[in-house]
Amino acid sequence: MNKKMLSGLSLLLSAGVYAGTASALEGDPEEGKQVSATCVACHQADGMGKNNPKAESWPRLAGLPEAYVAKQLHDFKAGERANASMAAFASMLDEQEIADVAAYYAGLEAWPELPTAYHAADPDDAAEWLADRGDWEDDNFIPACSQCHGPNGQGVGASFPPLAGQHEAYLKVQLEHWRSGERHNDPNELMAGVANRLDDDQIDMIAEYYATLPERLEARGAQQEEDGQ
Amino acid sequence: MSLHKSRLLMAGTVVSALGVSALGLSLSAMAQDGDVERDYQVQLPEPPDGEVTFTPPKESELSDSQYDEMVRLGRDLFVNTQTLRGENVFNEQNCSNCHLDAGRLAHSAPMWAAFGVYPAYRGKNDKVNTLSDRIQGCITYSMNGEAPEKGSEPLVALQTYLHWMATEAPNNTSLPGRSYPSLEDAAKEPDRERGAEVYANECVICHGDNGQGQMVGERQVFPPLWGDGAYNWGAGMHRINTAANFIKANMPLSKPYSLSDQESWDVAAYVNSHERPQDPRRRTVDSIDEVEELFHQHNGVYGQKVDGKRLGDHTNFGEHPDPLDG
């Protein structure tokens, strides 16, 4: 099967999975841009959000999968995902506006496409090891992040959002919330299962790893190109 | 299907053991006729109960020696077996899909426990099977592939990786944690309709609503469970008991032992009631009936009718380039 067919399949699949949880309206990005006027104060005009280590961080939305954004908004509105500011904003949106604004942010700027080629994890790099090999020993049973979020954490379908290039403080807080149960809108409690077994150091190091991964990969690629010339 | 399956289920291994021993006689006759060598893929005895005490060495301890470099190459092939795609591998599987944590995880058929139980005599093909025979079998069936030759680099690398993982493991001993833990016989006969529900709730998010798995670019993230990208009809995982055991202890990923025994049986029956590439041994006999009689006297549904169609009644070998008479 070629790549196009496969991505078509995964789109269909994501739509199917999502359709199971909520009615999927078709979003209009132009309309969504109007809706986004309420979002830009935090998530910024370019949808890139902001890392605020000392306060609440605002995640990057630009390029997140449409169905993922829509699900989060539904969950904020329904109280399935607890966040005071988002609950207020999401409850102002109707179904169509949620679909529209999700379509808008999904198409605003593509999430960085990162290399997919196999790269052996360095056993001396604890963060890379956790990301690509996991932490299974002593009954920890922590799969590698990439086993669900894809190579270099660039996301898989609508259920496993991209991690690489998301803000560090946001990733850290989300992992802590998965672990404490404060966030619990993961499909099949797959993320809670993992986060429950992560310790503080692992959370800190993996948040930093994925936040900075795109730039490190770029530097590595440039270096390889230079070496190759 | 239900009658046949239930009989096999209740009688369990006794039936398959008897069935295959009887066949062993006809095998000798065939072998004398200069016929192809039969590989019955019969399972070894169950591993002992008890606490898992063995821990394989860490990759951080590897040096730059030639041996250690070969270990690394084997590790790479184990987790990214797709690098052999088109040469030895003709589906979308990696070894590490069924042997989690790169073959290190107990109760996930870890390689450190497999290493020391070979060579093993198997009465079924009446010979002593080596580790390289066994790995070749995995590639032929689970990878729907063309096994690399003995002594070739991929096979040496995989063997070296296994050998290293078994460092300080007792030799010729079945260790706790080997293979997948065996479930008790199902309380209710495994049912693929109940299994379809389990699949839709627990598995579809990763493996897809048509068992196709998911990719990112050219990279497989979630392996296909049926269809051309999956293990073929000769792979151990097509047996409902093997899949149920694997699922119970390892799936959904991050939630081991979360499914009930019955759910594990049912979803295994559902997954393994789908079409997949033909059993490669079909090339060595005249009909699917013969494949079924010789090689499928166990807990699987090859040759049985599901939704009016007989499973395995085709000559689709997936991507494998050899045709029926190849």
Side-chain angles (χ1 to χ4, degrees):
Chain A
M1 227 184 293
N2 66 32
K3 199 172 166 178
K4 265 193 188 140
M5 282 170 68
L6 282 165
S7 60
L9 267 178
S10 67
L11 271 178
L12 275 176
L13 167 70
S14 328
V17 168
Y18 180 60
T21 55
S23 59
L25 291 171
E26 197 173 330
D28 177 345
E30 287 301 315
E31 296 291 330
K33 188 172 182 182
Q34 309 301 316
V35 178
S36 77
T38 53
C39 317
V40 295
C42 296
H43 293 282
Q44 313 292 303
D46 57 5
M48 290 299 174
K50 195 158 184 280
N51 193 48
N52 299 320
K54 303 277 181 211
E56 186 171 28
S57 282
W58 306 314
R60 170 179 174 164
L61 303 180
L64 281 178
E66 186 174 340
Y68 177 80
V69 176
K71 178 183 173 358
Q72 303 313 309
L73 287 169
H74 279 289
D75 290 351
F76 284 127
K77 195 174 165 177
E80 294 290 317
R81 181 173 173 185
N83 180 287
S85 29
M86 279 313 301
F89 285 110
S91 57
M92 296 192 297
L93 306 178
D94 64 24
E95 294 292 308
Q96 188 59 55
E97 286 168 327
I98 286 178
D100 292 342
V101 79
Y104 171 68
Y105 279 114
L108 194 53
E109 181 173 333
W111 203 275
E113 260 190 51
L114 301 174
T116 55
Y118 170 72
H119 163 83
D122 177 358
D124 295 324
D125 180 339
E128 183 174 274
W129 193 263
L130 182 60
D132 287 338
R133 289 289 298 272
D135 174 15
W136 299 84
E137 258 148 48
D138 305 322
D139 290 327
N140 278 356
F141 216 97
I142 300 171
C145 311
S146 62
Q147 281 184 272
C148 292
H149 292 275
N152 286 317
Q154 59 197 291
V156 182
S159 299
F160 303 100
L163 307 175
Q166 190 52 279
H167 298 297
E168 178 178 348
Y170 173 75
L171 290 174
K172 175 173 148 66
V173 168
Q174 295 311 303
L175 284 168
E176 287 168 352
H177 285 184
W178 290 120
R179 187 173 62 177
S180 68
E182 186 168 341
R183 186 170 175 188
H184 49 74
N185 69 330
D186 49 337
N188 298 354
E189 300 176 334
L190 289 170
M191 197 59 229
V194 177
N196 286 344
R197 298 190 285 270
L198 289 171
D199 64 30
D200 290 342
D201 289 344
Q202 286 176 316
I203 287 180
D204 286 348
M205 99 186 157
I206 207 66
E208 197 252 341
Y209 174 83
Y210 276 117
T212 56
L213 184 59
E215 50 200 75
R216 278 182 290 117
L217 285 170
E218 203 171 323
R220 192 196 287 170
Q223 187 62 45
Q224 278 167 354
E225 219 162 90
E226 205 170 287
D227 295 348
Q229 298 302 318
Chain B
M1 145 179 158
S2 53
L3 234 181
H4 188 188
K5 197 163 77 179
S6 111
R7 178 164 51 82
L8 284 175
L9 263 184
M10 285 189 293
T13 49
V14 181
V15 165
S16 50
L18 284 175
V20 184
S21 321
L23 288 165
L25 296 171
S26 55
L27 160 70
S28 320
M30 276 188 274
Q32 280 169 5
D33 293 343
D35 209 324
V36 281
E37 187 183 295
R38 300 287 182 223
D39 176 2
Y40 293 89
Q41 292 276 299
V42 171
Q43 293 166 295
L44 293 175
E46 284 177 17
D49 291 333
E51 200 190 333
V52 177
T53 51
F54 182 77
T55 310
K58 292 187 185 313
E59 283 185 34
S60 54
E61 293 160 10
L62 289 170
S63 72
D64 292 332
S65 72
Q66 262 183 294
Y67 172 90
D68 286 4
E69 287 296 343
M70 193 58 86
V71 170
R72 286 197 186 89
L73 179 60
R75 182 272 325 268
D76 290 344
L77 292 174
F78 198 90
V79 299
N80 183 38
T81 323
Q82 288 297 303
T83 195
L84 302 174
R85 182 78 170 263
E87 196 166 337
N88 304 109
V89 173
F90 292 98
N91 65 11
E92 287 169 20
Q93 309 291 313
N94 293 311
C95 304
S96 54
N97 292 142
C98 301
H99 308 278
L100 301 187
D101 189 18
R104 302 168 64 90
L105 186 66
H107 305 303
S108 185
M111 293 299 107
W112 45 262
F115 182 83
V117 296
Y118 291 96
Y121 174 80
R122 290 165 142 190
K124 317 318 148 204
N125 58 1
D126 196 24
K127 68 168 199 163
V128 174
N129 293 259
T130 64
L131 183 70
S132 49
D133 290 329
R134 186 68 187 85
I135 298 173
Q136 285 182 319
C138 295
I139 294 173
T140 304
Y141 301 103
S142 299
M143 304 313 200
N144 192 35
E146 194 60 41
E149 282 175 30
K150 288 181 178 144
S152 66
E153 189 178 74
L155 208 54
V156 171
L158 286 166
Q159 281 177 281
T160 310
Y161 180 50
L162 270 58
H163 178 257
W164 169 77
M165 248 191 285
T167 302
E168 293 183 21
N171 190 32
N172 203 7
T173 303
S174 185
L175 294 169
R178 188 179 74 75
S179 188
Y180 307 125
S182 296
L183 290 173
E184 299 287 317
D185 283 354
K188 288 184 277 189
E189 186 187 326
D191 178 86
R192 65 190 175 84
E193 281 177 30
R194 280 196 310 267
E197 253 175 74
V198 178
Y199 186 86
N201 292 333
E202 302 285 347
C203 318
V204 80
I205 186 172
C206 295
H207 293 285
D209 49 9
N210 203 23
Q212 75 274 26
Q214 290 192 73
M215 317 260 297
V216 171
E218 301 298 311
R219 195 84 183 279
Q220 179 250 80
V221 181
F222 300 114
L225 303 183
W226 62 87
D228 285 359
Y231 46 92
N232 70 33
W233 276 117
M237 193 58 85
H238 96 276
R239 293 188 195 108
I240 292 168
N241 56 330
T242 302
N245 294 343
F246 167 75
I247 290 165
K248 175 79 184 186
N250 295 285
M251 290 288 124
L253 202 59
S254 92
K255 294 166 69 181
Y257 300 98
S258 62
L259 300 181
S260 71
D261 288 8
Q262 188 65 47
E263 286 171 326
S264 304
W265 279 110
D266 291 341
V267 77
Y270 173 72
V271 167
N272 283 337
S273 302
H274 286 89
E275 268 305 347
R276 53 191 66 261
Q278 179 57 277
D279 188 329
R281 294 165 296 194
R282 171 70 183 84
R283 297 193 188 94
T284 68
V285 297
D286 292 330
S287 69
I288 171 185
D289 294 329
E290 225 176 308
V291 179
E292 189 183 3
E293 190 193 325
L294 280 169
F295 306 116
H296 286 264
Q297 299 306 311
H298 52 224
N299 192 353
V301 291
Y302 180 88
Q304 296 176 31
K305 272 200 170 172
V306 166
D307 292 335
K309 286 192 81 174
R310 191 179 184 200
L311 290 168
D313 191 8
H314 57 76
T315 53
N316 174 19
F317 290 88
E319 272 182 31
H320 196 292
D322 286 357
L324 184 58
D325 52 0

